[in-house]
Structure formats: C-alpha cells, structure tokens
Amino acid sequence: MIREEDIYKIGKLGKPHGVKGEVSMHFTDDIFDRTDCDYLILRIDGIMVPFFMEEYRFRSEETALIKFCDIDTQERAAELTGCEVYFPRDLAESDAGTLSYAAIAGFEIVDSATGRDVGRIASVDDSTINTLFEMEDGRLIPAAAELIEDVDTSARKIVMRLPEGL
C-alpha cells in the first residue's frame, strides 16, 4: 500500500492527446525526468495507484505528454483526466542535489538558535522574487538560501537561522 507520507504531488493529468492513449500532464516538478523511475503514482478514487510509463516527451516547460503501459485508447486515457500525479519521496531524495520545492512539503523547520521546532511546511510560494515557505498553521517564512543551514532529507528537517519575530 502506498502511504501519503511516502509520496508528494508533482502535477495533474489533463486531456488525452491523440487516439493511442497519450495524456497530457501539467507538472510542477520534473523529477520524473531527472531520476531513474519508470512509474508515476496516480490518485484514483482516493487510492494511490502506480502507473508505468512507456514513454514521455515534453511539450513545454510545464507540460509533458505521457504514454502509460496498457492505456492504448483515447477513451482509456480520458478516464485518467484530472487525476493528481505523485512521485515517491525516497527516489526524489536520492536526487537531493536538486531537491525541488514540491519535495520539501511536509519537512519540519527547526530554529538553529533555539533548537525549537517551528512547524511543518505545507507548500512553497515561489510566485514572487522572495520565495516563502507556507507553514501548515498559515505562517510564512522566507526561504532564502542564506537562512538555511542544513537540510536533512532522511529526517525531513530543515535547520534555519530565523530572523527575530518568527
């Protein structure tokens, strides 16, 4: 059984492309291209299901066309439209040199000055020049590289030197 804490969301499937079972995927993380993994995990009716990829190709910087094994018709591909796409954390963490913002959702932030647990990252807002960690309690913490002292992927913790008041 695939557990939610062992995966993270990297995108969502769009419409079928063509008649041979290809489907578009809008992604926020191209980890599936940077690691040696031949499957993606789809949420289907609340259940996490692995789907093996025959091939994929990039259509743009945020869209790929994917052909899954055993999905050979436009009708079968249409059944997957709207499914959320996930990737295994353990495989993403083996590529820690390029750990994506999507992969750190769920990491704990620890204040290096006090050793205090600050909270868990819900998501990362990189829509502006100042990237922010959005915490589960709604607080925003600057994600500036000069504030990050250590990233422990196995413990899923980020040690930061936080400004006063945070």
Side-chain angles (χ1 to χ4, degrees):
M1 178 177 209
I2 300 171
R3 299 179 315 169
E4 293 257 357
E5 57 269 14
D6 295 335
I7 57 177
Y8 70 98
K9 185 177 175 182
I10 64 166
K12 189 172 187 174
L13 294 181
K15 296 178 182 177
H17 180 81
V19 295
K20 299 194 185 230
E22 257 186 337
V23 64
S24 65
M25 178 178 77
H26 309 285
F27 60 88
T28 56
D29 187 344
D30 67 349
I31 188 71
F32 63 95
D33 188 50
R34 296 191 320 262
T35 59
D36 187 25
C37 184
D38 54 357
Y39 68 95
L40 296 173
I41 299 162
L42 306 183
R43 181 191 304 265
I44 299 178
D45 296 329
I47 299 170
M48 300 303 182
V49 181
F51 276 76
F52 287 87
M53 297 180 287
E54 276 184 31
E55 61 185 8
Y56 64 88
R57 57 193 162 104
F58 289 97
R59 191 165 197 197
S60 72
E61 287 190 21
E62 53 198 33
T63 305
L65 298 175
I66 299 178
K67 173 69 175 78
F68 290 111
C69 296
D70 300 324
I71 305 294
D72 296 325
T73 65
Q74 183 177 14
E75 293 76 23
R76 290 280 320 251
E79 294 172 7
L80 302 177
T81 298
C83 287
E84 294 176 334
V85 182
Y86 294 83
F87 196 81
R89 282 190 188 276
D90 59 341
L91 294 175
E93 291 165 359
S94 67
D95 186 39
T98 55
L99 196 61
S100 70
Y101 286 142
I104 63 172
F107 277 43
E108 294 286 333
I109 291 183
V110 176
D111 185 350
S112 65
T114 64
R116 179 177 63 88
D117 188 13
V118 176
R120 185 181 313 268
I121 299 170
S123 63
V124 178
D125 179 359
D126 62 349
S127 62
T128 65
I129 195 163
N130 297 318
T131 303
L132 299 167
F133 293 134
E134 296 177 2
M135 306 304 288
E136 288 181 343
D137 63 7
R139 288 179 296 158
L140 299 173
I141 296 178
E146 60 269 11
L147 298 178
I148 298 173
E149 294 183 356
D150 185 46
V151 177
D152 184 346
T153 57
S154 60
R156 298 181 60 195
K157 291 190 184 260
I158 299 174
V159 178
M160 296 183 72
R161 185 178 19 85
L162 297 173
E164 284 187 42
L166 291 179

